Every structure is written in C-alpha cells, then in structure tokens.
Amino acid sequence: MGKVILTGDRPTGRLHVGHYVGSLRRRVELQNSGEYSDIYIMIADAQALTDNAEHPEKVRQNIVEVALDYLSVGMDPEVTTIFIQSMIPELFEMTAYYMNLVTVSRLQRNPTVKNEIQMRNFEASIPVGFFTYPISQAADITAFRANTVPVGEDQMPMIEQTREIVHKFNSVYGEDVLVMPEILLPENDACRRLPGIDGKAKMSKSLNNCIYLADTEKEVQQKVMSMFTDPNHIKITDPGQVEGNTVFTYLDAFCKDEYFEEYLPDYASLEELKDHYRRGGLGDVKIKKFLNKVLQEELGPIRERRAYWESRIPEVYEILKSGSEKAQKVAAETLKSMRTAMKINYF
Ligand code: ATP
Ligand code: MG
C-alpha cells in the first residue's frame, strides 16, 4: 500500500495565512509530489461543534468558505479527497471504542486543550465533547490509515495521543490493525506557529488577529502596515531587534530570495536585511512595504483561484459530496477490520 495523508481544519472561520504556512502550503506540495497514493482533507464540522454547539449555522456557512480556501490554494479535487467529517458516521463509532483506551487524567494533560479551555473560559464547564476531541481526532487519522499528518505545532499533542491509542489498540486487539501515523511539521519555527498581526498569540480564527487568504489587496496592506515591530526601534538609526519582531517572523515564513531581486535589490537575502536592521539604519516602513509585496505575490494567485471557484458554488458542493461518499467507504472498511479484531462482528 502507498503512503496516505490525512489532515483538516475546523470550519470556524475562513482560513488565514497561519494555516497556509502551517499546513496548506505543504499539503499542496505533497499533493503535487505524486508520492502519496491517497490524500484526505477533512472539514472538521463535528469538531467545530464541540465548542460551537449553539452556532450550527456558523459552522455550516464556513464549510463552503474552507472548501473555497482549499481550492484556491491549489488543492486538486481530482487528486485529493475533500470531505465533511460529520458525513462519516463510522468516525463516531471508532471514537466510542477509543474512549475506552484513554484515561481522563491523560486527557487533562494535553497542553493544547488546556490552553484552549483557558482561551474559551471553559474552566468551570467544559463540554465533554470538547474535552475528548483529541480522541475523535485519533479516529479521523486512523480511519483513513494515514501515515503522514501535516499540521502546525499546536497539533503535536494530538498526534502523540493518536499514536498512544494506535499502540494500545494494536497491543490489545491485534498487531497491524491500525496504522501508526507520523506528524509532519513545517520547515521553520515561524511556520509552525505563526503569530497574529498583534504579535502576541498564535494567529487564530478565534482571536481576531488574522490575515485571511480571502482578504483584498488593500486589507492585507493595511494589516501589514499596522503590525508591531521592535518597540525600542524608534529612530531609523537605532539598532533593531529581529527576534520576536512580527514583520521579520512573517518574512521568515514567506520570503523567497527571488523577491529581493525584484523589490529590494540592495540585499541578496533575508540574512543581509536582518543584519542591517540589527546594525541600525533600516526603517520599519521599508521592511513593512517589502513584506506587503511578498505577501501580495503569494496571495495574488490564491485570490484569483478563489474568484474562479466563487462563481461555481454548486460545483464546490458536488466536490464535497463525492469526496464524502468516497471517504465514508474507506472508513467503513477500517471499522469493519477493527470490529473483527475486537471480536464484535456478530453476524
Ligand atoms: P480555531 O481558533 O477555531 O481553533 P485555528 O485558527 O486554530 O481555529 P484550526 O482549524 O484549529 O485553526 O487549525 C487547522 C490547522 O492549521 C492545524 O494544522 C493547525 O496546526 C494549523 N494552524 C492553525 N493556526 C496556525 C498558526 N498560527 N501557525 C501555524 N499553523 C497553524
Ligand atoms: Mg485550533
């Protein structure tokens, strides 16, 4: 059997450039590499409902937004199976069996979930579904026999939890029933956890600090010009700090050497630009204008593809429907082999 990818996103809002460098860009590269026999991309509506139970319409509306984002970054529905999580009931049955293999205290140790509980003020009243979503994520990954899960850094504890479940399931019910997945993290720190334009927390749909893939040229420019840099870099001649400087973090994530030739020919590389900033004599407006050019280069083709698909919404729903039908068949086969291994295939 060939190598398989599973990954996905919650339809809680449009996708942003943090998703792009953290996962989407890599998915498209892997898709185009031809090295994977199957690629499954899931719109995790059921997971989104674990902290949006009272807003199903928000989740519903964002399904098509996320699908448009996928198509606009270059995911090819002829190669990649795009599907909706809740259309695969097998995932919920698998989750129920996996729940028996995980303790409450193990779930409580998950640092990403801990952080998300705090962010949502859930301390006093965590929905059980939210608390257990790492287990349902293990079902998503194992149902498709994925070996490779390309995601951002916040997902490390989820993949670790999935690996423990696979290990436990296989040792209790039979070796090689479930496939052991590996995480595939982005190449550098900036991409693993891109900060928001406020420079504080991770860019996140829930925090209102995003540059969206669907933002207009003007919106992107305004957001870049409002970014934080080094608060002690007041006069142009002052030496500046590059580490923790949001503009440079974004350049780390997006800049290619070829952009210097086009937009800043006095520099050969990002390292040279950073050295000048550290020495002093390089103004914030200049680096922001450069970052804006870089982002517009990256986002321009995405915007164009989005416009193409926005005028073909019924086709987008067809893609989701046929993707979900295909994914359901694969999950049903995995569930059958699990039930056989568990000796609960009665008839
Ligand atoms: P929510 O606030 O609803 O959780 P989110 O913005 O965190 O939304 P998710 O749908 O939870 O987005 O994440 C989808 C994927 O994008 C995951 O692989 C995650 O690791 C990655 N990702 C999300 N935000 C970032 C970021 N700022 N930098 C790098 N990767 C990210
Ligand atoms: Mg998230």
Side-chain angles (χ1 to χ4, degrees):
M1 268 208 346
K3 291 198 290 181
V4 179
I5 290 177
L6 177 287
T7 185
D9 307 270
R10 295 151 41 94
T12 48
R14 289 178 164 190
L15 299 184
H16 52 64
V17 296
H19 296 120
Y20 184 65
V21 295
S23 177
L24 298 172
R25 185 167 63 185
R26 179 58 86 56
R27 289 180 210 175
V28 176
E29 279 166 21
L30 297 175
Q31 167 192 277
N32 297 342
S33 76
E35 283 172 28
Y36 289 82
S37 62
D38 293 285
I39 304 175
Y40 297 96
I41 306 293
M42 180 182 79
I43 304 182
D45 63 333
Q47 191 187 115
L49 285 169
T50 64
D51 59 335
N52 287 282
E54 278 143 44
H55 305 288
E57 73 295 339
K58 168 179 151 189
V59 172
R60 186 196 169 93
Q61 280 161 10
N62 280 308
I63 285 177
V64 72
E65 294 296 338
V66 171
L68 284 168
D69 286 326
Y70 286 169
L71 294 165
S72 57
V73 296
M75 279 183 214
D76 176 358
E78 299 285 324
V79 181
T80 294
T81 306
I82 303 175
F83 69 97
I84 301 175
Q85 185 185 27
S86 71
M87 299 305 289
I88 323 294
E90 284 78 4
L91 297 176
F92 300 91
E93 185 174 337
M94 290 179 190
T95 303
Y97 300 139
Y98 293 167
M99 281 184 173
N100 304 330
L101 307 176
V102 180
T103 63
V104 171
S105 65
R106 174 66 186 85
L107 282 179
Q108 278 166 336
R109 282 207 309 275
N110 185 314
T112 298
V113 176
K114 260 193 204 167
N115 186 5
E116 289 174 338
I117 286 171
Q118 253 179 1
M119 258 171 56
R120 289 163 177 74
N121 290 324
F122 273 168
E123 279 100 338
S125 55
I126 314 166
V128 174
F130 187 81
F131 181 62
T132 56
Y133 88 74
I135 303 181
S136 90
Q137 227 171 293
D140 306 332
I141 294 168
T142 52
F144 300 96
R145 307 183 168 280
N147 332 77
T148 306
V149 188
V151 282
E153 192 178 62
D154 60 309
Q155 294 301 309
M156 279 170 77
M158 312 307 166
I159 311 306
E160 199 43 49
Q161 176 75 82
T162 302
R163 290 173 57 85
E164 284 172 33
I165 290 173
V166 168
H167 182 76
K168 181 96 187 191
F169 190 98
N170 285 349
S171 54
V172 175
Y173 300 117
E175 286 309 318
D176 301 328
V177 181
L178 299 180
V179 173
M180 187 63 82
E182 308 280 344
I183 190 168
L184 186 62
L185 287 170
E187 53 281 6
N188 69 35
D189 283 349
C191 300
R192 289 175 183 198
R193 193 184 187 81
L194 193 75
I197 51 170
D198 54 3
K200 290 187 198 123
K202 156 183 116 95
M203 182 177 286
S204 171
K205 293 172 221 135
S206 312
L207 293 177
N208 220 353
N209 60 3
C210 304
I211 296 177
Y212 292 99
L213 294 175
D215 277 352
T216 62
E217 201 173 330
K218 186 113 199 123
E219 284 167 330
V220 173
Q221 188 193 1
Q222 280 168 349
K223 288 178 185 181
V224 170
M225 297 316 280
S226 78
M227 272 183 179
F228 284 87
T229 54
D230 169 6
N232 299 318
H233 184 247
I234 299 163
K235 292 199 296 286
I236 290 187
T237 48
D238 288 341
Q241 190 164 336
V242 165
E243 289 70 32
N245 182 322
T246 315
V247 175
F248 280 103
T249 306
Y250 277 54
L251 285 173
D252 278 333
F254 288 98
C255 191
K256 297 179 192 145
D257 283 349
E258 68 211 53
Y259 292 139
F260 283 100
E261 219 169 287
E262 208 173 334
Y263 298 116
L264 275 185
D266 292 348
Y267 304 86
S269 69
L270 189 50
E271 276 319 302
E272 277 187 20
L273 189 74
K274 285 181 179 175
D275 283 343
H276 191 185
Y277 194 80
R278 287 193 187 102
R279 281 199 308 273
L282 177 59
D284 285 345
V285 172
K286 190 161 176 180
I287 56 167
K288 284 182 179 177
K289 281 191 170 159
F290 177 54
L291 173 61
N292 179 54
K293 295 281 189 209
V294 168
L295 284 178
Q296 303 293 357
E297 284 274 357
E298 297 279 316
L299 298 178
I302 296 176
R303 233 176 256 136
E304 273 171 37
R305 275 191 297 261
R306 196 175 223 277
Y308 171 91
W309 285 105
E310 271 173 350
S311 64
R312 290 168 175 76
I313 297 296
E315 226 178 292
V316 176
Y317 276 105
E318 264 317 305
I319 290 169
L320 294 176
K321 184 164 178 271
S322 61
S324 298
E325 282 162 5
K326 178 177 169 199
Q328 191 272 330
K329 290 196 183 87
V330 177
E333 267 176 44
T334 306
L335 179 61
K336 195 169 159 202
S337 64
M338 280 170 59
R339 291 188 58 122
T340 304
M342 294 168 76
K343 303 193 173 26
I344 56 169
N345 253 344
Y346 302 115
F347 313 110

